[in-house]
């Protein structure tokens, strides 16, 4: 067997490593015992501590990378997309970190192995070799409990199984209720991975995944009841064959997401279901010749039913749809790509690539040529990368919520909704530092610039949904714009105190000709963001962590005037996304106690007892602003609902073997 590549890495005390290609690797096992939320080592929370990666608030169910919107980045399991990667409110992601061994974020989706998204890729991985040792973790907390097992069946076959179940309302129901509203919520998620290696050259891996959520919100003052249910389901089968001078990776998958929003206000009721299913196959051939070559394809079929609004009351006693028709779309796509890594010297590498992306939906046909290149300069542990390329995205997510609620719907490109296209440039620089007795540090910085066409946003409102001629596509506006910004992170990777400080600033602007010819901030305009995280090892068994985050408030469109005409409330708005919510900031604390117990002839058991406080000083972060009107008097006042997540303590226990 011939060795083609070798990657040298050290044991980072932070569990975070920036690779020479600019991607960020998180060692999930290293994150256990670090900063937790309600007893969970959620890897997505750690990603949001990195510069340029934002969540938009406590209730944001998504992540924005370098000013891109939530739908422009994708989370994947076995190369298959997960369309809604969060449980409600962004406190938990849908991914059980103990099930996966590693998580990798690639800022730019360019390159032959990239997918058709403008933002970032986050891949959750299980090693493509069978587990050889029986191990597992059982955890119990005040909000949810879980189990994760690694079971070697034979030398060639192993199975991983993980699951979580929440009982959020049992102990936190009073904290989720106030004089104005009450919230009930629950979720579960399941993972199953089977890895089979019949020979030393071949490996098959099957991944199954399901997550399911149900949320009920009652606004007591207006007698409004809202119920939202959603689920993800995914199945993917991978095959990898490795030969002395080449490797082939083959994958087949199906992934689906469905949501249902139910709303009742006195005598008015509304139901809004939405679904999307994608089935496809990807393949990747790597050749090691005088240069490294990479050839890949991505083919798929997508079926989407964005909205089918059903209304009862409001002039309709039948509960039939007031939409002119049930909207559904079916589309196909095929992407072929090639990339070559040219080594001019040990330190200097150039990797040009080219993609051809073909797309078909009804009368909409599009073919895009997507060139790009990446320059890498590596000197010892210092490296610099610069990548530039053209990317295209055929799927879009829009809706009433700017914080990424599950009720937002996916819609493919059509004759009236063109594919999003962008030219994107990203530069990254890494330099290790040794500062005497202070230990080992690593300084990293990145900058980006993006030119975007065919950006889509939803311009409708709640009243639009109950119109008899409502069609979701009529309320999607299209524009163009740009984004630029930079970020830096200084990490301490050795010693009893480890952690990092990260800062980023970004600008994102869009222009919608149907609204104005002026550039306006996008709803994902990053602004300023600062995170300071530290973990201190008090003793062999005891450690503590703290994380403080501050960021510019989320962009909103302000209401400038409000009045009542003929018993109808009329509002006038200012510039789109022309105002900020108040500055967001939060402190989280964690204390972990570890110990090991063992008995003769039995496996040693590792125990971890964790106490965490989310939002330790009880900051009342504003999640939205709206006006409340009293129709009989005509009086109105500004209402600023605050986050429910204020000073939430949690105790959890985990046992591993």
């Amino acid at each position: 067997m011939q060795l083609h590549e070798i990657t040298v890495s050290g044991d980072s005390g932070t569990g975070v490593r920036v690779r020479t290609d600019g991607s960020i690797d998180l060692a999930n096992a290293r994150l256990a015992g670090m900063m937790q939320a309600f007893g969970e080592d959620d890897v997505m929370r750690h990603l949001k501590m990195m510069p340029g990666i934002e969540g938009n608030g406590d209730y944001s169910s998504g992540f924005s990378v370098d000013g891109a919107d939530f739908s422009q980045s994708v989370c994947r399991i076995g190369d298959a997309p997960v369309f809604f990667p969060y449980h409600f409110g962004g406190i938990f992601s849908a991914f059980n970190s103990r099930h996966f061994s590693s998580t990798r974020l690639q800022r730019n989706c360019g390159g032959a192995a990239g997918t058709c998204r403008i933002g970032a890729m986050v891949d959750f991985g299980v090693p493509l070799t069978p587990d050889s040792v029986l191990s597992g973790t059982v955890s119990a907390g005040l909000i949810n409990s879980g189990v994760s097992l690694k079971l070697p069946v034979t030398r060639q076959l192993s199975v991983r199984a993980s699951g979580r179940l929440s009982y959020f309302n049992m102990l936190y129901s009073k904290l989720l209720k106030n004089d104005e509203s009450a919230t009930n919520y629950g979720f579960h998620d399941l993972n199953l991975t089977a890895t089979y290696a019949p020979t030393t050259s071949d490996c098959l891996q099957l991944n199954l995944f399901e997550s399911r959520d149900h949320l009920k919100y009652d606004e007591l003052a207006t007698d409004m009841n809202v119920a939202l249910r959603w689920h993800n389901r995914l199945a993917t089968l991978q095959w990898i064959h490795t030969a002395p001078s080449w490797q082939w990776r083959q994958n087949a998958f199906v992934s689906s997401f469905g949501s249902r929003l139910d709303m009742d206000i006195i005598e008015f009721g509304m139901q809004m279901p939405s679904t999307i299913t994608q089935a496809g196959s990807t393949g990747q051939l790597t050749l090691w010749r005088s240069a490294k070559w990479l050839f890949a394809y991505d083919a798929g079929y997508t079926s989407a039913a964005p909205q089918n609004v059903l209304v009862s009351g409001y002039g309709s006693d039948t509960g039939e749809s007031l939409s002119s028709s049930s909207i559904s779309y079916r589309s196909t796509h095929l992407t072929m790509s090639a990339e070559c890594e040219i080594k001019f010297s040990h330190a200097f590498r150039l990797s040009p690539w080219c993609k051809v992306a073909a797309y078909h939906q009804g009368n909409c046909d599009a073919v895009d040529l997507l060139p790009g290149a990446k320059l890498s300069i590596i000197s010892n542990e210092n490296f610099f990368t610069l990548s530039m390329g053209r990317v295209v995205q055929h799927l879009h997510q829009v809706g009433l919520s700017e914080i990424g609620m599950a009720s937002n719907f996916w819609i493919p490109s059509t004759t009236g909704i063109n594919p999003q296209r962008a030219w994107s440039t990203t530069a990254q620089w890494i330099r290790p530092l040794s500062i005497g007795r202070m230990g080992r540090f690593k300084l990293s910085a990145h900058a980006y610039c993006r030119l975007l066409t065919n950006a889509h946003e939803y311009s409708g409102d709640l009243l639009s949904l109950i119109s008899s001629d409502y069609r979701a596509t009529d309320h999607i506006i299209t524009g163009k714009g740009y984004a630029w910004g930079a970020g830096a992170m200084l990490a301490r990777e050795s010693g009893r105190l480890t952690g990092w400080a990260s800062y980023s600033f970004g600008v994102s602007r869009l222009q919608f000709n149907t609204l104005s010819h002026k550039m306006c901030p996008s709803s994902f305009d990053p602004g300023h963001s600062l995170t300071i995280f530290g973990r201190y090892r008090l003793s062999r068994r005891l450690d503590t962590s703290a994380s403080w985050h501050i960021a510019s408030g989320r962009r909103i469109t302000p209401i400038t005037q409000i009045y009542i005409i003929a018993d109808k409330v009329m509002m006038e708005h200012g510039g789109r996304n022309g105002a900020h919510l108040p500055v967001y900031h939060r402190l989280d604390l964690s204390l972990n106690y570890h110990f090991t117990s063992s008995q003769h002839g039995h496996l040693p058991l590792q125990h971890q007892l964790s106490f965490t406080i989310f939002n330790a000083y009880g900051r009342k972060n504003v999640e939205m602003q709206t006006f409340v009107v009293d129709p009989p008097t005509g009086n109105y006042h500004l209402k600023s609902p605050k986050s429910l997540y204020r000073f939430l303590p949690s105790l959890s226990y985990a046992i591993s073997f």
Side-chain angles (χ1 to χ4, degrees):
M1 178 176 289
Q2 183 178 356
L3 181 66
H4 303 288
E5 293 182 291
I6 184 169
T7 300
V8 179
S9 61
D11 180 18
S12 170
T14 62
V16 180
R17 185 167 64 93
V18 182
R19 296 166 55 89
T20 54
D21 62 1
S23 61
I24 299 174
D25 271 1
L26 300 183
N28 292 7
R30 295 286 301 170
L31 300 181
M34 299 181 87
M35 177 54 61
Q36 300 188 349
F38 311 114
E40 285 292 320
D41 307 310
D42 197 321
V43 67
M44 296 300 292
R45 282 175 48 81
H46 287 265
L47 279 177
K48 288 182 181 180
M49 295 182 188
M50 304 292 106
I53 306 175
E54 275 293 321
N56 234 18
D58 285 342
Y59 294 151
S60 296
S61 297
F63 62 101
S64 172
V65 179
D66 295 340
D69 69 41
F70 290 165
S71 66
Q72 289 174 338
S73 297
V74 59
C75 292
R76 306 192 306 178
I77 298 175
D79 292 344
V82 178
F83 288 103
F84 194 77
Y86 275 92
H87 297 301
F88 173 69
I91 293 296
F92 298 118
S93 74
F95 305 103
N96 190 329
S97 298
R98 294 187 176 100
H99 184 85
F100 301 99
S101 299
S102 63
T103 304
R104 176 175 297 177
L105 180 139
Q106 182 72 50
R107 288 186 179 276
N108 194 319
C109 287
T115 189
C116 284
R117 295 289 180 97
I118 288 173
M121 292 186 302
V122 180
D123 284 303
F124 292 83
V126 173
L128 292 166
T129 54
D131 294 310
S132 58
V133 178
L134 173 66
S135 62
T137 300
V138 179
S139 62
L142 300 181
I143 290 179
N144 64 282
S145 294
V147 59
S148 183
L149 300 174
K150 301 176 184 178
L151 307 171
V153 180
T154 67
R155 293 182 60 185
Q156 298 174 318
L157 174 65
S158 69
V159 176
R160 291 191 181 192
S162 302
R164 288 187 299 183
L165 176 66
S166 76
Y167 31 86
F168 204 84
N169 305 298
M170 290 179 61
L171 296 175
Y172 288 86
S173 58
K174 291 184 178 180
L175 292 174
L176 298 177
K177 184 177 181 180
N178 53 42
D179 294 336
E180 298 178 344
S181 64
T183 303
N184 288 278
Y185 174 66
F187 72 85
H188 76 257
D189 48 44
L190 303 168
N191 289 92
L192 179 67
T193 301
T195 305
Y196 176 58
T199 69
T200 57
S201 300
D202 295 275
C203 181
L204 289 169
Q205 189 172 89
L206 172 70
N207 277 286
L208 303 177
F209 167 69
E210 180 192 72
S211 68
R212 183 176 291 273
D213 296 68
H214 53 88
L215 167 70
K216 185 177 180 182
Y217 174 81
D218 298 334
E219 192 168 283
L220 307 178
T222 60
D223 197 24
M224 180 179 71
N225 300 319
V226 178
L228 181 60
R229 298 174 177 85
W230 66 94
H231 68 267
N232 289 287
R233 295 192 182 100
L234 177 149
T236 175
L237 179 63
Q238 296 183 86
W239 169 51
I240 294 183
H241 177 79
T242 303
S245 59
W246 58 277
Q247 183 187 77
W248 175 253
R249 298 171 64 100
Q250 180 75 43
N251 176 56
F253 70 87
V254 58
S255 179
S256 68
F257 169 72
S259 70
R260 180 187 177 96
L261 174 66
D262 296 278
M263 180 182 297
D264 294 303
I265 307 176
I266 309 176
E267 296 181 355
F268 164 73
M270 182 186 69
Q271 301 173 359
M272 189 173 67
S274 175
T275 62
I276 182 171
T277 300
Q278 187 173 87
S281 175
T282 62
Q284 182 176 312
L285 175 64
T286 305
L287 301 175
W288 292 279
R289 305 298 185 191
S290 56
K292 177 183 175 181
W293 288 87
L294 181 65
F295 301 93
Y297 80 89
D298 180 353
Y301 167 83
T302 303
S303 175
Q307 286 182 336
N308 181 21
V309 182
L310 305 172
V311 176
S312 59
Y314 201 77
S316 172
D317 297 325
T318 62
E320 296 179 353
S321 171
L322 296 187
S323 312
S324 57
S325 63
S326 175
I327 305 174
S328 62
Y329 300 95
R330 288 164 177 78
S331 63
T332 56
H333 70 270
L334 173 63
T335 302
M336 306 288 290
S337 54
E339 181 176 350
C340 177
E341 183 186 80
I342 305 170
K343 293 184 179 180
F344 295 98
S345 67
H346 177 73
F348 188 82
R349 304 177 186 181
L350 180 65
S351 300
W353 68 78
C354 186
K355 290 184 178 182
V356 178
Y359 174 83
H360 171 76
Q361 191 284 315
N363 295 323
C364 175
D365 294 288
V367 178
D368 288 273
L369 184 65
L370 309 172
K374 178 176 65 181
L375 173 68
S376 302
I377 302 175
I378 305 171
S379 177
N380 297 324
E381 295 184 73
N382 302 273
F383 65 87
F384 171 81
T385 60
L386 174 65
S387 62
M388 179 178 181
R390 191 168 186 259
V391 287
V392 65
Q393 181 167 330
H394 303 113
L395 285 176
H396 324 292
Q397 188 182 34
V398 293
L400 292 169
S401 165
E402 292 181 345
I403 58 174
M405 295 291 287
S407 56
N408 288 2
F409 58 91
W410 288 90
I411 190 167
S413 298
T414 66
T415 51
I417 306 174
N418 293 323
Q420 299 180 72
R421 298 179 176 92
W423 282 98
S424 186
T425 301
T426 303
Q428 183 134 350
W429 173 67
I430 307 292
R431 178 180 175 82
L433 301 171
S434 294
I435 309 178
R437 295 182 179 180
M438 294 183 65
R440 179 181 173 87
F441 289 77
K442 180 171 286 185
L443 177 64
S444 62
H446 83 283
Y448 64 91
C449 180
R450 185 185 310 112
L451 299 177
L452 178 66
T453 57
N454 299 328
H456 304 293
E457 288 191 5
Y458 186 77
S459 64
D461 52 32
L462 185 60
L463 293 179
S464 303
L465 299 176
I466 59 178
S467 173
S468 60
D469 59 350
Y470 171 79
R471 288 181 65 88
T473 52
D474 296 337
H475 299 275
I476 297 177
I477 56 176
T478 301
K480 62 181 180 180
Y482 62 87
W484 62 266
M489 183 173 75
L490 179 64
R492 190 172 194 262
E493 300 186 322
S494 61
R496 299 181 70 175
L497 175 64
T498 56
W500 62 80
S502 68
Y503 169 78
S504 64
F505 173 75
V507 173
S508 178
R509 298 290 184 264
L510 293 174
Q511 175 189 353
F512 299 97
N513 291 332
T514 56
L515 301 179
S516 171
H517 291 286
K518 296 181 179 180
M519 285 285 181
C520 61
S522 76
S523 57
F524 293 91
D525 184 47
H528 299 272
S529 176
L530 172 66
T531 299
I532 300 175
F533 166 75
R535 181 193 185 198
Y536 186 71
R537 199 170 64 249
L538 296 167
S539 67
R540 184 172 59 88
R541 295 183 175 180
L542 190 65
D543 65 77
T544 183
S545 301
S547 172
W548 184 67
H549 178 69
I550 184 170
S552 300
R554 183 170 58 85
R555 287 280 186 173
I556 60 170
T557 301
I559 298 173
T560 57
Q561 293 189 46
I562 186 169
Y563 44 87
I564 298 177
I565 299 178
D567 295 331
K568 291 186 177 181
V569 179
M570 310 295 291
M571 295 183 183
E572 293 186 6
H573 294 80
R576 190 171 184 84
N577 301 317
H580 282 283
L581 291 177
V583 171
Y584 177 96
H585 56 89
R586 191 187 78 232
L587 173 67
D588 302 334
L589 302 173
S590 178
L591 181 67
N592 304 304
Y593 179 69
H594 315 261
F595 65 95
T596 301
S597 64
S598 61
Q599 295 181 357
H600 180 71
H602 294 82
L603 291 173
L605 301 177
Q606 291 83 40
H607 307 260
Q608 177 175 304
L609 186 65
S610 301
F611 175 70
T612 63
I613 301 177
F614 185 86
N615 197 352
Y617 51 74
R619 166 69 175 177
K620 298 180 180 180
N621 287 302
V622 176
E623 290 297 324
M624 63 187 71
Q625 286 186 343
T626 185
F627 280 93
V628 177
V629 182
D630 183 11
T633 64
N635 297 327
Y636 61 89
H637 65 276
L638 180 66
K639 181 180 179 182
S640 300
K642 309 295 196 303
S643 170
L644 294 172
Y645 301 131
R646 299 197 297 271
F647 193 77
L648 291 183
S650 179
L651 184 67
S652 65
Y653 170 73
I655 182 170
S656 303
F657 58 89

